[in-house]
Structures are given as C-alpha cells and as structure tokens.
Amino acid sequence: MSDQRAPLQHLPAMTFEQMLERVRYEGAYPTRERAEEAVRLVIAGLGRQLTGEERVELAARLPREAALVLTGQIPSPQPLTGWAFVEDLATRSGAAPATTRWDTGSVLATVAASAGPELLTRILRRLPTGYALLFGRAELTRAA
C-alpha cells in the first residue's frame, strides 16, 4: 500500500542524449557537441534565475546531467528580465546576442516540454518579464 500523502515523483521525460538530439533538431545545430554547449549554457543560466519549489520540480523532470547543471548554480540575488538573461548568456559565452537568443529558444523549448504546462506556468510567474517568449509561449500578463 502506498502513502497517499507522499508527493508525486516525476521521472525525466527523456534521457540526456534524447534532450541533446531534440535541441540539435530544434536549433538546427550541425553537431551534437554544439547542441550540448547550448544546453549547458542556457540551463546554467536558468539555474542562476530560478528558485524555490519550481527549481526543485524542474530538476526532477530534467535528465540527470541537465538537472545537475541547473542545481549546481547559485541563484542570483538580482533576477534578470528575459532580454537581460540573453545578454548575460551572450557575454558569458562570447557569442552574439542574436545567436544566444537562438540558443536560448532552442533549449528552453525542450525544457518547456519536460516541465509540462502547469509547471511551466508556475516557472513563468516566478521569473521576471520576458521569459515566456524564450520558452515559446506568449507573454503572460500579471494582475496589478
């Protein structure tokens, strides 16, 4: 008999290899290595922005390797807007902002699929404005 009070455990929807292949396809990257660079950059950046239950739940739904990158980051005391997030990643990687925006969308679309709609909505409510489009969603409006 199971304990009805125990929280639901979510298993990753895909392996890390499957995640890399999906990002490679979404981003039209020429190699698996290039897709992995994008995954590690963007997920590390997300780990610096995301806190609380949403961070824990997302980590549980990502492949182990990606979850370790996410949770291995110390959350930033100053949250970044979506565009500032892209600019920060561009600075860290030395890539152009347009390239980094492409990388971010390719990776976060895959992260969104792993998160599922309910968790993604909660993640977007926790983050500053500008992230919804990065995840492939219309920007949510916030009640005043």
Side-chain angles (χ1 to χ4, degrees):
M1 184 177 270
S2 67
D3 182 355
Q4 295 295 325
R5 295 169 295 168
L8 294 175
Q9 296 295 318
H10 294 279
L11 298 175
M14 64 183 84
T15 67
F16 191 61
E17 295 301 320
Q18 290 168 326
M19 180 182 212
L20 295 179
E21 284 306 312
R22 185 164 178 175
V23 169
R24 183 178 178 192
Y25 177 80
E26 292 287 332
Y29 296 114
T31 65
R32 180 189 167 282
E33 291 75 20
R34 178 63 185 94
E36 185 170 354
E37 288 173 16
V39 165
R40 291 186 181 280
L41 174 72
V42 175
I43 291 183
L46 185 59
R48 289 188 293 276
Q49 298 302 307
L50 193 57
T51 60
E53 283 183 35
E54 291 78 13
R55 176 182 168 115
V56 173
E57 287 184 45
L58 180 59
R61 295 181 191 196
L62 292 175
R64 183 177 188 278
E65 296 87 340
L68 289 173
V69 172
L70 180 83
T71 60
Q73 305 302 309
I74 297 170
S76 174
Q78 182 61 35
L80 301 173
T81 64
W83 181 243
F85 175 75
V86 171
E87 288 179 321
D88 178 65
L89 294 179
T91 299
R92 289 173 186 270
S93 68
T99 301
T100 305
R101 170 59 182 92
W102 182 266
D103 291 348
T104 303
S106 299
V107 173
L108 292 183
T110 301
V111 169
S114 292
E118 186 273 331
L119 177 56
L120 181 57
T121 296
R122 289 179 25 232
I123 288 170
L124 292 173
R125 285 186 179 138
R126 179 170 287 275
L127 293 169
T129 61
Y131 282 85
L133 290 174
L134 298 175
F135 280 98
R137 272 203 182 171
E139 187 69 44
L140 301 174
T141 58
R142 298 175 195 239

